[in-house]
Amino acid sequence: MKKLIAGVMLLGASSMAFAQPGCGVGAMIWKGQSGIAPHVLAATTNGTFGNQTFGMTTGTLGCQTNEAVQSMALYMDSNIDKVARDMSRGTGENLDTLAVLLGVDAADRDTFRQVLQDNFASIFPSSDTTSGEAVDAIVAVLEKNESLSKYVAA
């Protein structure tokens, strides 16, 4: 059991080491430094304080975002349960509202709905998913889609 826990911790630390922390207080503190240790410390700082999500949502802390993503984040704060319900179904008023807030063209809305429904489990991995986590996941999913990435570009 101890070996399993140690392995999981090592795997988690190594995955954080190769991930670029991007923005947030951690990235600002360790800016300009290279190597595994500064990346792990920056990612750990961001993860511990949850400031990277805040920065991406508000466009602060060195994070670049667009106003549409900020509008979606504000909407998600008050409507996360309704959005999750509609996203799981692939249709609904709240999903349409997200599309409007992001400026998704009418021609792309079916793709938008389908992509979000297909990725529901990664956007809402648990019932405790926060609106900030869901927004980050939505942006990540849309960035990977060739026809939808333009709506979340910073």
Side-chain angles (χ1 to χ4, degrees):
M1 185 66 167
K2 289 181 183 178
K3 288 182 181 181
L4 176 64
I5 293 172
V8 169
M9 289 176 61
L10 182 60
L11 180 62
S14 66
S15 67
M16 284 193 302
F18 296 109
Q20 296 294 326
C23 63
V25 172
M28 295 171 81
I29 291 171
W30 302 101
K31 184 177 183 176
Q33 298 187 29
S34 61
I36 293 174
H39 287 285
V40 170
L41 292 169
T44 302
T45 301
N46 288 342
T48 301
F49 297 105
N51 60 67
Q52 190 171 27
T53 302
F54 172 79
M56 285 189 273
T57 303
T58 61
T60 59
L61 300 173
C63 301
Q64 300 298 321
T65 188
N66 66 31
E67 289 182 22
V69 172
Q70 292 176 15
S71 297
M72 178 182 65
L74 290 172
Y75 181 77
M76 288 286 289
D77 281 342
S78 303
N79 298 285
I80 188 168
D81 294 331
K82 295 173 189 172
V83 170
R85 181 194 64 224
D86 288 358
M87 193 178 296
S88 70
R89 296 176 183 165
T91 187
E93 179 181 338
N94 295 284
L95 202 53
D96 290 340
T97 300
L98 287 188
V100 169
L101 290 172
L102 288 173
V104 177
D105 294 332
D108 290 332
R109 292 209 182 148
D110 286 338
T111 303
F112 175 80
R113 289 184 204 98
Q114 188 63 53
V115 166
L116 291 183
Q117 183 183 25
D118 291 347
N119 290 280
F120 176 79
S122 65
I123 295 170
F124 290 99
S126 76
S127 60
D128 296 330
T129 301
T130 66
S131 61
E133 292 166 339
V135 167
D136 292 346
I138 290 168
V139 170
V141 164
L142 296 179
E143 283 176 336
K144 293 177 186 173
N145 185 285
E146 189 175 315
S147 63
L148 300 176
S149 61
K150 61 187 172 192
Y151 300 112
V152 293

